[in-house]
Amino acid sequence: MDGNLAEKIEKLEAQLPLWEKGLFAAYGAAITMLANSIARGFEKSYLTSAFFKSLENIDPAAFTENAPPIILTDPVALNLQRALFVPYWQVLGFFLLIVILMPGAWLVFHSTWRQVSLAKRQSLIFGYLLADWIVLLSLGAQDPLNMSDGYNILVIFYLLALGLGYGWLRRKKDRAEEVFP
């Protein structure tokens, strides 16, 4: 029985390089998403200031609840407004969050992978979680001034928990490997 279990664990450990390739793909998607979000943020601010500057000259009372809505009649401004506020970018971001989180969660919680020592899969797990954090960060990088405080707190606590958890597990692993001098 132990020989069969040892073979099973060896086969699982042989699959770890495939999971590493998936991690490289996750980092590629996350970094691309972050770079594109930063570029879109600049583009959005420039286009908004160029085409909707006329809205800044409107009396602030026009933005109250009982005021009539401001109707844009210029077709170019209407198309730009639609393009700037399309939610597809957030949908893609949430899809990537789930897709990148799944392999990390699979390596942590699946009963088959729990047979492999945590030390051998720990870097992969935290790598997937870090790629997921980059995607989470990219969701706010597009419009950082309009992000809620809850989002900002989530991003900071996610990174702190990730760093502290990794450091704690590494320290625990290093202490476990110490042998009498």
Side-chain angles (χ1 to χ4, degrees), residues 119-130:
K120 293 185 179 179
R121 54 193 167 98
Q122 171 184 349
S123 294
L124 278 173
I125 293 166
F126 281 97
Y128 278 109
L129 291 176
L130 182 62

Side-chain angles (χ1 to χ4, degrees), residues 4 7 34-35 62 79 88 93-94 103-104 115 133 136 181:
N4 191 16
E7 282 181 28
L34 180 62
N79 287 330
Y88 298 129
F94 288 121
Q115 295 172 356
W133 178 81
L136 183 66

Side-chain angles (χ1 to χ4, degrees), residues 19 101-114 121:
W19 288 86
L101 184 63
M102 284 175 32
W106 189 268
L107 287 170
V108 171
F109 297 116
H110 195 269
S111 59
T112 305
W113 280 101
R114 291 183 73 169
R121 54 193 167 98

Side-chain angles (χ1 to χ4, degrees), residues 17 22-23 25 32 38 53 62 113 124 145 181:
L23 181 60
T32 301
I38 292 169
K53 196 74 159 173
W113 280 101
L124 278 173
L145 298 177

Side-chain angles (χ1 to χ4, degrees), residues 83-162:
L84 289 174
F85 301 108
V86 172
Y88 298 129
W89 193 249
Q90 284 81 12
V91 171
L92 176 65
F94 288 121
F95 176 75
L96 277 176
L97 278 173
I98 293 169
V99 167
I100 293 174
L101 184 63
M102 284 175 32
W106 189 268
L107 287 170
V108 171
F109 297 116
H110 195 269
S111 59
T112 305
W113 280 101
R114 291 183 73 169
Q115 295 172 356
V116 177
S117 71
L118 181 62
K120 293 185 179 179
R121 54 193 167 98
Q122 171 184 349
S123 294
L124 278 173
I125 293 166
F126 281 97
Y128 278 109
L129 291 176
L130 182 62
D132 205 45
W133 178 81
I134 293 171
V135 173
L136 183 66
L137 181 66
S138 73
L139 289 174
Q142 189 174 359
D143 194 10
L145 298 177
N146 291 327
M147 295 310 294
S148 69
D149 290 337
Y151 167 81
N152 296 329
I153 290 170
L154 175 68
V155 168
I156 290 169
F157 278 141
Y158 190 133
L159 186 62
L160 284 174
L162 194 63

Side-chain angles (χ1 to χ4, degrees), residues 33-73:
M33 181 92 175
L34 180 62
N36 201 347
S37 288
I38 292 169
R40 282 179 57 99
F42 283 115
E43 176 186 33
K44 191 175 186 177
S45 69
Y46 294 145
L47 287 173
T48 301
S49 67
F51 285 99
F52 301 109
K53 196 74 159 173
S54 62
L55 292 179
E56 293 176 2
N57 298 329
I58 295 176
D59 180 30
F63 293 103
T64 61
E65 186 177 320
N66 297 328
I70 298 171
I71 299 173
L72 296 175
T73 56

